[in-house]
């Protein structure tokens, strides 16, 4: 646990990491697991991948990724660098859900819960464990709306 937290403290948003796709459990529905050579694994969420699962990186694919998100899970959320592995409308999606992304490059990955991102309407959101972006309301996390 302590080694995992130490690893997180050394990571920065946008930091590039080479990795190898080690598992694609249900193409088109969940995402891909990536071995990034750290004590924590990497994961690319279905939200960032192409709609057509045939365009997803397959097991054994070696590629570069950027540190995209960190939360309470024992993994680092990644964004593919190669545009072939990104959703087709990534730029539009990015401007809507994570407009501050370019300015976040180089910022340290902070402690869990200390960072809330906002969409272009300045409403905070989180990435749920099921991979769905949820707009945060005044309700507790279990009642956040999509």
């Amino acid at each position: 646990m302590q080694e995992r937290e130490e690893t997180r403290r050394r990571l920065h948003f946008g930091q590039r990491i080479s990795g190898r796709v080690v598992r694609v459990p249900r193409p088109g529905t969940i995402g891909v697991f990536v071995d990034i050579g750290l004590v924590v694994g990497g994961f690319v969420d279905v939200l960032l991948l192409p709609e057509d699962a045939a365009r997803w990186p397959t097991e054994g694919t070696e590629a570069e990724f950027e540190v995209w998100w960190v939360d309470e899970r024992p993994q680092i959320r990644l964004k593919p660098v190669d545009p072939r592995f990104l959703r087709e409308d990534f730029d539009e999606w990015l401007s809507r859900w994570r407009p501050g992304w370019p300015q976040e490059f180089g910022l340290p990955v902070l402690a869990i819960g200390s960072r809330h991102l906002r969409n272009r309407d300045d409403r905070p959101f989180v990435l749920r464990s099921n991979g769905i972006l949820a707009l945060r309301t005044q309700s507790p996390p279990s009642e956040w709306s999509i």
Side-chain angles (χ1 to χ4, degrees):
M1 180 81 144
Q2 184 178 1
E3 189 176 0
R4 193 168 64 211
E5 290 306 314
E6 286 296 319
T7 298
R8 287 181 182 202
R9 282 191 203 105
R10 291 192 312 264
L11 295 173
H12 294 80
F13 288 112
Q15 181 178 344
R16 288 195 175 190
I17 297 177
S18 294
R20 183 175 49 84
V21 175
V22 292
R23 193 163 162 237
V24 184
R26 294 191 331 217
T29 60
I30 297 174
V32 298
F33 291 89
V34 181
D35 178 355
I36 53 177
L38 300 174
V39 298
V40 293
F43 181 76
V44 180
D45 195 278
V46 64
L47 291 172
L48 297 174
L49 294 166
E51 188 174 321
D52 178 6
R55 290 190 44 224
W56 287 23
T58 57
E59 290 182 14
T61 299
E62 296 196 20
E64 286 221 16
F65 301 89
E66 291 177 350
V67 174
W68 176 256
W69 189 273
V70 175
D71 58 21
E72 71 278 355
R73 288 169 284 213
Q75 61 186 207
I76 306 298
R77 294 296 179 116
L78 304 170
K79 177 185 97 44
V81 171
D82 189 331
R84 294 177 302 159
F85 302 137
L86 278 175
R87 61 185 293 144
E88 294 78 3
D89 64 344
F90 179 75
D91 291 334
E92 189 248 314
W93 182 87
L94 181 66
S95 70
R96 180 169 182 206
W97 291 108
R98 198 158 180 188
W101 175 244
Q103 293 80 26
E104 294 170 10
F105 268 49
L107 293 178
V109 172
L110 303 175
I112 297 164
S114 64
R115 185 171 189 78
H116 294 287
L117 302 173
R118 297 177 178 272
N119 72 1
R120 68 176 172 211
D121 299 325
D122 202 34
R123 295 190 307 184
F125 71 92
V126 296
L127 183 63
R128 286 181 165 168
S129 60
N130 63 0
I132 297 174
L133 285 174
L135 293 175
R136 186 172 182 191
T137 65
Q138 297 299 333
S139 306
S142 63
E143 299 174 17
W144 286 347
S145 59
I146 296 175

